[in-house]
Amino acid sequence: VQLQASGGGLVQAGGSLRLSCAASGRIYSSAVMGWFRQAPGEEREFVAAIRWGTGRTYYAESVKGRFTISGDKAKNTMYLQMDSLRPEDSAVYYCSKDTDWAKVVAAKADYRGQGTQVTVSS
């Protein structure tokens, strides 16, 4: 399954963006889907995860209350609604997939898509 992230762009602080991650095939209920981000010169940072079958979600403390992860099983597409964006949210955002929850939360999932750039101006 290939993953394609989209929806990034330039937004002012306080604004919103919605990222999408489309899978090329079916996402099975055993999958854990997630988002991580990477800013220039920085290490990967976990953002959010969702267990596809149950809808269980988990967020990094830095985005909790501002970002919402969700999935559309019929479309095999995952979303990340990002509200109240801050300049420190600027990064390339990647979607990822694994069956191991811990690997997704560690931003070390076996599968990831090409990233989409998010830039938040102050």
Side-chain angles (χ1 to χ4, degrees):
V1 173
Q2 293 185 336
L3 306 174
Q4 180 64 53
S6 61
L10 173 64
V11 63
Q12 288 187 331
S16 298
L17 283 174
R18 188 175 84 152
L19 305 184
S20 298
C21 174
S24 61
R26 179 183 174 184
I27 303 174
Y28 290 90
S29 60
S30 58
V32 179
M33 304 291 292
W35 293 93
F36 66 91
R37 63 191 183 188
Q38 190 165 22
E42 302 289 333
E43 295 190 354
R44 293 182 186 179
E45 179 188 12
F46 165 76
V47 175
I50 183 168
R51 186 171 289 282
W52 204 248
T54 64
R56 173 194 175 194
T57 59
Y58 180 70
Y59 297 92
E61 284 297 322
S62 59
V63 306
K64 195 175 292 184
R66 301 187 297 121
F67 291 11
T68 304
I69 189 171
S70 63
D72 186 326
K73 294 179 180 178
K75 295 182 178 180
N76 292 303
T77 301
M78 174 178 65
Y79 303 98
L80 185 68
Q81 177 66 40
M82 305 187 295
D83 298 319
S84 302
L85 282 161
R86 305 167 180 168
E88 54 264 39
D89 293 319
S90 297
V92 178
Y93 283 69
Y94 299 87
C95 56
S96 65
K97 173 182 173 292
D98 207 295
T99 55
D100 188 325
W101 181 268
K103 290 175 72 175
V104 173
V105 171
K108 295 181 179 180
D110 286 345
Y111 300 96
R112 71 169 191 179
Q114 291 185 320
T116 185
Q117 176 72 49
V118 171
T119 304
V120 184
S121 63
S122 56

